[in-house]
């Protein structure tokens, strides 16, 4: 439940930037303080957002905090504004990554709720936040707004926060700093790990297939009926060589390693 600062000399500052340890449940190996995103106008408004599992009930909490106006190396632990609470039926597959997209909206990666094989089929349930990529407007609404460009905006049979669905556990995703494309490392079940892709021009409503499919392979054929078009990963790898859990990375846009420019970097636990 702590966020710390490492200075330019590699030293960790003595006082954490934010300490919300008493609020955070981390008894399970996939729980804890899982995500941090700074508002695009952070330099002006001092807003930062976190994703954590709550101590009292292990639910996912997405909340806003504020920077201390008297100390830029501290956030105010009592400034919490809770935006979203999502119940977690199991301790694993909490997702946790949050990022602001090039459009200024906050994207929230949600796992399928846990256990194994998504036993309640949450990832394909349009009335559940679990197993989805969510998109909200933190600058409007109370405590947030739904962008009118969200694919299910104004509908009653699908939650309006949903941007994409059919994800198992998008533990880490990122946006290409140059092109704005989204790259998602989605953790597999027992055989395949996958990288999902969404171009910057996407209008959402992409279904990545879980639990009908694990990667490009059929996982649970009985859940495939009526799903419409499913989008396969752009890359997958098996557990044959000891891999077990993908950790999504970034498209390299640096200058130090020119041969890597434009490549997406990803690793495995």
């Amino acid at each position: 439940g702590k966020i710390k600062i490492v200075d330019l000399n590699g030293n960790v500052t003595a006082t954490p930037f934010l300490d919300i340890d008493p609020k955070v449940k981390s008894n399970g190996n996939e729980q804890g303080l899982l995500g941090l995103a700074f508002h695009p106008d952070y330099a002006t408004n001092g807003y930062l957002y976190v994703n954590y599992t709550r101590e009292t009930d292990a639910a996912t909490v997405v909340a806003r905090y504020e920077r201390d106006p008297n100390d830029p190396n501290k956030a105010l632990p009592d400034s919490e504004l809770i935006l979203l609470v999502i119940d977690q039926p199991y301790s694993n597959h909490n997702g946790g990554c949050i990022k602001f997209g090039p459009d200024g909206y906050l994207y929230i990666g949600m796992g399928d709720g846990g256990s194994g094989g998504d036993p309640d089929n949450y990832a394909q349930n349009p009335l559940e936040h679990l197993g989805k990529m969510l998109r909200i407007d933190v600058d409007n609404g109370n405590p947030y707004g739904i962008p009118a460009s969200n694919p299910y905006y104004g509908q009653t049979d699908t939650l309006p926060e949903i941007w994409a669905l059919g994800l198992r556990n998008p533990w880490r995703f990122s946006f290409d700093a140059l092109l704005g494309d989204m790259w998602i490392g989605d953790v597999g079940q027992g055989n395949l790990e996958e990288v999902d892709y969404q171009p910057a021009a996407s209008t959402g409503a992409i279904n990545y297939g879980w639990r009908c499919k694990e990667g490009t392979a059929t996982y649970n054929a009985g859940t495939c009926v009526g799903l419409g078009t499913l989008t396969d990963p752009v890359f997958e790898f098996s557990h044959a060589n000891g891999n077990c859990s993908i950790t999504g990375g970034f498209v390299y846009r640096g200058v130090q390693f020119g041969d890597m420019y434009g490549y997406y970097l990803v690793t495995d636990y």
Side-chain angles (χ1 to χ4, degrees):
K2 297 178 182 180
I3 297 171
K4 300 182 180 182
I5 295 175
V6 181
D7 67 23
L8 295 179
N9 296 316
N11 301 309
V12 179
T13 56
T15 302
F17 174 68
L18 180 66
D19 184 353
I20 56 170
D21 189 74
K23 297 180 179 181
V24 177
K25 183 177 183 66
S26 57
N27 293 335
N29 63 3
E30 295 181 21
Q31 297 172 322
L33 175 53
L34 303 176
L36 166 65
F38 292 94
H39 192 284
D41 293 326
Y42 175 76
T44 302
N45 62 30
Y47 292 159
L48 58 136
Y49 299 79
V50 298
N51 181 324
Y52 65 90
T53 50
R54 187 164 60 184
E55 173 62 37
T56 54
D57 58 2
T60 286
V61 175
V62 178
R64 187 190 79 189
Y65 283 85
E66 299 180 27
R67 180 183 62 225
D68 187 334
N70 299 314
D71 187 345
N73 287 334
K74 293 181 183 178
L76 299 171
D78 295 330
S79 65
E80 183 180 49
L81 173 66
I82 293 177
L83 304 183
L84 195 59
V85 176
I86 300 172
D87 290 338
Q88 291 286 356
Y90 304 97
S91 65
N92 58 335
H93 300 184
N94 299 287
C97 188
I98 53 176
K99 299 276 185 181
F100 280 95
D103 51 20
Y105 297 129
L106 183 65
Y107 290 74
I108 304 163
M110 291 300 303
D112 65 6
S115 187
D118 193 7
D120 298 300
N121 203 30
Y122 284 124
Q124 293 296 333
N125 186 337
L127 295 178
E128 291 285 348
H129 292 109
L130 300 171
K132 313 297 193 301
M133 184 66 67
L134 311 179
R135 185 174 82 150
I136 63 174
D137 180 357
V138 301
D139 295 322
N140 294 285
N142 183 21
Y144 63 86
I146 303 296
S149 54
N150 272 17
Y152 306 108
Y153 178 82
Q155 298 188 19
T156 57
D157 58 352
T158 304
L159 294 176
E161 294 92 348
I162 294 175
W163 177 254
L165 63 159
L167 294 164
R168 185 174 179 272
N169 192 25
W171 161 240
R172 287 292 179 256
F173 66 92
S174 65
F175 291 94
D176 184 333
L178 178 66
L179 302 178
D181 303 331
M182 177 188 282
W183 295 81
I184 305 169
D186 195 17
V187 179
Q189 177 62 42
N191 296 308
L192 296 170
E193 304 297 312
E194 69 183 78
V195 175
D196 296 316
Y197 169 79
Q198 187 174 121
S202 173
T203 56
I206 294 176
N207 190 334
Y208 292 107
W210 176 252
R211 69 177 175 157
C212 163
K213 301 180 75 175
E214 178 190 15
T216 57
T218 298
Y219 176 78
N220 189 324
T223 63
C224 297
V225 178
L227 296 185
T229 301
L230 302 180
T231 298
D232 282 339
V234 294
F235 177 69
E236 66 182 11
F237 57 88
S238 76
H239 292 186
N241 295 319
N243 298 308
C244 67
S245 178
I246 194 170
T247 302
F250 296 85
V251 175
Y252 182 71
R253 294 297 179 188
V255 297
Q256 186 174 357
F257 306 104
D259 290 345
M260 298 172 67
Y261 187 83
Y263 280 85
Y264 176 69
L265 305 180
V266 65
T267 189
D268 186 89
Y269 177 79

Short mmCIF file of all heavy atoms in Angstrom, two decimals, residues 3-15 17 73:
data_model
loop_
_atom_site.label_atom_id
_atom_site.label_comp_id
_atom_site.label_asym_id
_atom_site.label_seq_id
_atom_site.Cartn_x
_atom_site.Cartn_y
_atom_site.Cartn_z
N ILE A 3 3.53 3.92 -2.21
CA ILE A 3 4.18 4.38 -3.43
C ILE A 3 5.39 5.18 -3.00
O ILE A 3 5.28 6.11 -2.20
CB ILE A 3 3.24 5.23 -4.30
CG1 ILE A 3 2.04 4.40 -4.75
CG2 ILE A 3 3.98 5.80 -5.50
CD1 ILE A 3 0.95 5.21 -5.42
N LYS A 4 6.56 4.81 -3.54
CA LYS A 4 7.80 5.46 -3.13
C LYS A 4 8.45 6.16 -4.31
O LYS A 4 8.18 5.85 -5.47
CB LYS A 4 8.76 4.44 -2.53
CG LYS A 4 8.19 3.73 -1.29
CD LYS A 4 9.19 2.76 -0.69
CE LYS A 4 8.60 2.07 0.54
NZ LYS A 4 9.58 1.14 1.18
N ILE A 5 9.32 7.11 -4.01
CA ILE A 5 10.03 7.88 -5.02
C ILE A 5 11.50 7.49 -5.00
O ILE A 5 12.11 7.40 -3.94
CB ILE A 5 9.90 9.40 -4.75
CG1 ILE A 5 8.45 9.86 -4.91
CG2 ILE A 5 10.81 10.19 -5.68
CD1 ILE A 5 8.22 11.31 -4.55
N VAL A 6 12.04 7.24 -6.18
CA VAL A 6 13.47 7.03 -6.34
C VAL A 6 14.06 8.28 -6.99
O VAL A 6 13.60 8.68 -8.07
CB VAL A 6 13.77 5.79 -7.22
CG1 VAL A 6 15.26 5.57 -7.35
CG2 VAL A 6 13.09 4.56 -6.63
N ASP A 7 15.02 8.92 -6.35
CA ASP A 7 15.57 10.16 -6.91
C ASP A 7 16.56 9.85 -8.04
O ASP A 7 16.84 8.69 -8.36
CB ASP A 7 16.19 11.03 -5.81
CG ASP A 7 17.44 10.41 -5.18
OD1 ASP A 7 18.10 9.57 -5.84
OD2 ASP A 7 17.78 10.78 -4.05
N LEU A 8 17.10 10.89 -8.63
CA LEU A 8 17.95 10.74 -9.81
C LEU A 8 19.28 10.04 -9.49
O LEU A 8 19.98 9.62 -10.40
CB LEU A 8 18.21 12.11 -10.44
CG LEU A 8 16.97 12.79 -11.02
CD1 LEU A 8 17.34 14.16 -11.59
CD2 LEU A 8 16.32 11.94 -12.10
N ASN A 9 19.60 9.94 -8.21
CA ASN A 9 20.82 9.24 -7.80
C ASN A 9 20.55 7.78 -7.42
O ASN A 9 21.45 7.08 -6.96
CB ASN A 9 21.47 9.96 -6.63
CG ASN A 9 21.95 11.35 -7.01
OD1 ASN A 9 22.54 11.54 -8.07
ND2 ASN A 9 21.69 12.33 -6.15
N GLY A 10 19.30 7.36 -7.57
CA GLY A 10 18.95 5.98 -7.25
C GLY A 10 18.59 5.74 -5.82
O GLY A 10 18.48 4.58 -5.38
N ASN A 11 18.39 6.79 -5.04
CA ASN A 11 18.05 6.64 -3.63
C ASN A 11 16.54 6.73 -3.43
O ASN A 11 15.87 7.58 -4.02
CB ASN A 11 18.72 7.75 -2.81
CG ASN A 11 20.22 7.73 -2.96
OD1 ASN A 11 20.86 6.69 -2.79
ND2 ASN A 11 20.80 8.89 -3.29
N VAL A 12 16.02 5.85 -2.58
CA VAL A 12 14.61 5.88 -2.24
C VAL A 12 14.39 6.91 -1.14
O VAL A 12 15.06 6.88 -0.11
CB VAL A 12 14.11 4.50 -1.76
CG1 VAL A 12 12.63 4.56 -1.37
CG2 VAL A 12 14.34 3.45 -2.83
N THR A 13 13.46 7.84 -1.37
CA THR A 13 13.19 8.87 -0.37
C THR A 13 12.63 8.23 0.90
O THR A 13 11.92 7.22 0.84
CB THR A 13 12.21 9.92 -0.91
OG1 THR A 13 11.02 9.28 -1.35
CG2 THR A 13 12.83 10.68 -2.07
N ALA A 14 12.95 8.82 2.03
CA ALA A 14 12.60 8.23 3.32
C ALA A 14 11.09 8.15 3.53
O ALA A 14 10.58 7.16 4.07
CB ALA A 14 13.24 9.03 4.45
N THR A 15 10.37 9.17 3.11
CA THR A 15 8.92 9.21 3.30
C THR A 15 8.22 8.79 2.01
O THR A 15 8.52 9.34 0.95
CB THR A 15 8.46 10.63 3.68
OG1 THR A 15 9.14 11.03 4.88
CG2 THR A 15 6.97 10.67 3.92
N PHE A 17 5.70 8.56 -1.08
CA PHE A 17 4.87 9.54 -1.78
C PHE A 17 3.42 9.40 -1.36
O PHE A 17 2.71 10.38 -1.12
CB PHE A 17 5.02 9.34 -3.29
CG PHE A 17 4.11 10.21 -4.12
CD1 PHE A 17 4.28 11.58 -4.16
CD2 PHE A 17 3.09 9.64 -4.87
CE1 PHE A 17 3.44 12.38 -4.94
CE2 PHE A 17 2.26 10.43 -5.64
CZ PHE A 17 2.43 11.81 -5.67
N ASN A 73 6.63 16.07 -3.33
CA ASN A 73 7.04 14.68 -3.17
C ASN A 73 6.10 13.89 -2.27
O ASN A 73 6.43 12.79 -1.83
CB ASN A 73 8.45 14.61 -2.59
CG ASN A 73 9.50 15.01 -3.61
OD1 ASN A 73 9.28 14.87 -4.81
ND2 ASN A 73 10.61 15.52 -3.14
#
